[in-house]
Amino acid sequence: MPTPRIAPARIRALQHAEREHFLATHPASLALGEAAQQHYLFGVPLHWMRDWPSPASLFVRQARGVTLTCADGLDYADFCLGDTGAMFGHSPGAVAQAIARQAAQGLTCMLPTTLAPAVGAGLQRVFGLPMWQLALSASDANRFVLRWARAVTGRPTLLVFDGCYHGAVDDTLVDLDPASGATLPRPSVLGQVHNHADFTRVVPFNDLPVLEAALARRDVACLLAEPALTNFGLVPPAPGFWDAARALCREHGSLFVCDETHTVSTALGGYAQAHGLEPDVLVVGKAVAGGLPCAVYGFTLDMATRMAAAKATAPEGHSGIGTTLSGNALTLAALDAALEHLHTQANYDHMLALAEQLEQGLASRIARAGMPWTVTRLGARMELQFMPHTPRNAQDVREHAQTEMEALTHLYMLNRGVLLTPFHSMLLVSPETGAQDIARLLAGFDKLLAELATN
Ligand code: PMP
C-alpha cells in the first residue's frame, strides 16, 4: 500500500476550521484573554502560555485529577499535565491536605522544619541517593549543580547533548552545528551576550565516539544529560549507550549529572535507578512534590565530601548557589506527602499499564491508516511522532519536522476535549488517568485520521 501523503492544503483547511471552532466555542476564554492583555505581556502571566497552537489562550477554571475545566465550562482529558508538573494528577489529595495543614503553621522561615530528616530519608528511599539539597525549580537545581560540579572538579567545561533542555540555564542553551560539529549559541535565546562555546561543548546523542573525543580532553566537569532526550522529540538511548557513556565519564574524570525532571515518568525512582546508571548527581523537578514548586538534587557520599571541601576552602560570602525560599516549610510538607503517597509502585503500575494500552491503540491506528508516523514510549510518557521511525538524535528530529501537522493535531484534539503537550505531541499518563480518558483520546485520533484521509 503506498504511504498516504497529506496535502498541505488539506492540513491548512482543517487548521482553519479548527481555529474557527475554537473561537466560537470559547467566548469566556476570549473575554479573559482580552482583559489579561491589559496587564500581561502577550496577555498571559508567563509568555510561554501563548506558545500553544490554539488561536487564543485557554483559561483554566479548575484542574482536578486529569480533568481540566476551562472558563467556558468545557472539560478536557489532560495528557499534558502541566508538561509533567502535574504528572501525578492535578491537586493530588495527600499533597493538597499536607499543603493545607502546613499553610497554617508557617510558609517559609529560612530554617529546616521538623520534617526535614524524614523528607531526606524519603528521597533516599525513592531515588536511591543518600544526600540531598532542595531548590524551587529544575532550572535552579541544574544551575546550582553546574556550580558544584565545576567547583569540585576544578574543570571549566560542561558537556551536553544536542537538543537538550535543562531549563533556563544559560550554559546549556546551545546547539550543534551539524556541518562543523561546533557548539553554537541557540539563536532563539534572548539577551545572550556570553559565548557559551567557551565553556560548553555539545555532542550528538547516541554517538559514543564523539562523546569519547569530547571527554578525552579532560577539561569536562560534568556531562549533564537526560537519560533520553525528552525536550526535542522523544529520543531513547540506543541499547548499551548509557553503560558505555557512564564508563567513559568515569575513565576521563568527569561527573555524570542525570536530569530526571521528565524521565521520572519512566519507573518508580526514575530511569537512572531502573537502569543502573549510577549518576554522581541526580536532578528531579516539576512533579517531585506533586506540582508545588520544588526541585531536588541528590548525590553520592563521595560527591558530598567533595562539595563540603569546596565550600570549606572557599572564602566567606555568597556561594552563588541557592535561593531564599529553597527548602521552605510549605515545599517540605508537600514533598513529604508526595514521597509517601505519590511515588509508589502502585501508581507506576497503573501509569505504565495504561500507557502501554494507549501506545498500542495509537500504533494500531497508525498502521491501519498506513501513515508514516511513529509512537515512541518511555514508561508513562510517549510521543506521537510524524516521522517513520523513532528518532536517533536531535538532527534526525529536525530533518523530519512537521510543525503544521503537530499544531493541527494539538488543536484538533483540544477541540475534542483532549489536551496534548503543546511543544511536541507528548502524552503523559498519570495515576488518575482512566480507561475513559484513553477512549476519548483514541476516538479523537480516529476522527483526525478519517478527516486526513478525505481530500
Ligand atoms: N530539566 C528538564 C529535563 C526539563 O524538561 C525542564 C523543563 N521542561 C527543566 C529541566 C526545567 O524545568 P523548570 O522549567 O521547571 O525549571
Side-chain angles (χ1 to χ4, degrees):
M1 189 168 69
T3 300
R5 208 185 89 75
I6 306 158
R10 178 69 185 144
I11 297 179
R12 277 197 297 278
L14 281 172
Q15 180 71 275
H16 178 74
E18 293 303 318
R19 287 170 71 88
E20 294 297 308
H21 181 79
F22 181 94
L23 293 172
T25 49
H26 293 82
S29 271
L30 294 189
L32 287 165
E34 228 159 84
Q37 203 72 42
Q38 314 293 317
H39 304 292
Y40 295 108
L41 183 67
F42 307 120
V44 280
L46 166 64
H47 71 87
W48 309 351
M49 292 175 179
R50 276 308 300 129
D51 290 347
W52 291 59
S54 46
S57 263
L58 189 70
F59 281 73
V60 178
R61 185 190 290 168
Q62 177 181 286
R64 296 285 302 273
V66 291
T67 305
L68 194 140
T69 309
C70 75
D72 289 281
L74 304 171
D75 279 351
Y76 303 85
D78 191 355
F79 288 85
C80 167
L81 296 167
D83 193 16
T84 310
M87 182 183 83
F88 293 110
H90 294 287
S91 283
V95 171
Q97 285 159 23
I99 291 173
R101 267 195 312 276
Q102 184 63 43
Q105 298 175 52
L107 303 179
T108 187
C109 325
M110 222 178 71
L111 284 169
T113 64
T114 52
L115 276 179
V119 169
L123 287 167
Q124 176 166 19
R125 177 173 50 74
V126 172
F127 296 108
L129 283 158
M131 301 295 284
W132 293 88
Q133 287 284 277
L134 268 65
L136 286 177
S137 69
S139 300
D140 276 350
N142 282 321
R143 262 196 299 273
F144 303 154
V145 168
L146 290 186
R147 277 196 191 279
W148 284 120
R150 286 171 163 146
V152 307
T153 59
R155 294 177 172 190
T157 302
L158 161 69
L159 194 60
V160 291
F161 289 121
D162 184 30
C164 75
Y165 186 70
H166 298 286
V169 183
D170 277 354
D171 304 61
T172 63
L173 294 168
V174 291
D175 288 332
L176 182 70
D177 178 357
S180 66
T183 301
L184 301 175
R186 198 166 284 178
S188 56
V189 176
L190 298 174
Q192 193 154 237
V193 291
H194 300 289
N195 180 4
H196 295 300
D198 288 345
F199 296 110
T200 303
R201 210 164 287 148
V202 60
V203 293
F205 192 52
N206 280 329
D207 189 332
L208 287 168
V210 180
L211 178 69
E212 174 156 32
L215 288 166
R217 288 157 72 171
R218 297 191 76 85
D219 60 351
V220 173
C222 71
L223 168 65
L224 170 61
E226 292 188 273
L229 299 185
T230 70
N231 282 290
F232 202 85
L234 185 53
V235 184
F241 175 73
W242 274 115
D243 285 347
R246 182 68 190 97
L248 286 172
C249 287
R250 283 209 177 95
E251 183 185 334
H252 295 289
S254 302
L255 298 167
F256 169 42
V257 179
C258 187
D259 182 352
E260 292 254 32
T261 297
H262 278 175
T263 53
V264 69
S265 58
T266 307
L268 176 62
Y271 185 104
Q273 202 174 205
H275 292 84
L277 263 49
E278 298 183 2
D280 296 291
V281 185
L282 181 84
V283 175
V284 195
K286 295 196 184 182
V288 71
L292 198 75
C294 175
V296 297
Y297 56 101
F299 33 95
T300 59
L301 288 174
D302 175 55
M303 185 68 193
T305 307
R306 296 170 73 185
M307 288 158 76
K311 180 77 181 95
T313 51
E316 274 297 301
H318 297 140
S319 63
I321 296 173
T323 57
T324 312
L325 300 185
S326 299
N328 67 70
L330 194 65
T331 302
L332 274 180
L335 185 54
D336 182 52
L339 290 167
E340 184 176 347
H341 298 285
L342 305 184
H343 296 268
T344 65
Q345 194 56 57
N347 274 349
Y348 276 86
D349 287 347
H350 177 91
M351 289 154 75
L352 268 52
L354 241 65
E356 195 181 339
Q357 264 181 41
L358 179 53
E359 176 194 24
Q360 283 168 6
L362 289 169
S364 61
R365 283 163 172 79
I366 290 169
R368 217 176 305 136
M371 287 295 186
W373 300 349
T374 308
V375 183
T376 298
R377 181 170 74 88
L378 192 71
R381 99 193 286 111
M382 75 198 76
E383 252 186 47
L384 174 59
Q385 296 170 322
F386 300 101
M387 56 188 286
H389 59 268
T390 290
R392 288 175 285 267
N393 54 38
Q395 191 55 23
D396 206 6
V397 176
R398 282 186 196 102
E399 284 165 11
H400 288 90
Q402 291 222 33
T403 43
E404 289 199 342
M405 196 53 232
E406 272 180 26
L408 170 63
T409 303
H410 184 96
L411 184 54
Y412 192 92
M413 299 305 281
L414 186 71
N415 280 336
R416 277 139 198 94
V418 177
L419 211 58
L420 308 183
T421 312
F423 309 124
H424 22 105
S425 300
M426 192 279 283
L427 304 120
L428 190 59
V429 171
S430 104
E432 304 282 336
T433 308
Q436 70 286 1
D437 304 304
I438 307 276
R440 194 193 279 201
L441 191 155
L442 291 175
F445 192 59
D446 279 335
K447 283 201 183 114
L448 175 64
L449 286 170
E451 298 236 34
L452 288 170
T454 323
N455 275 303

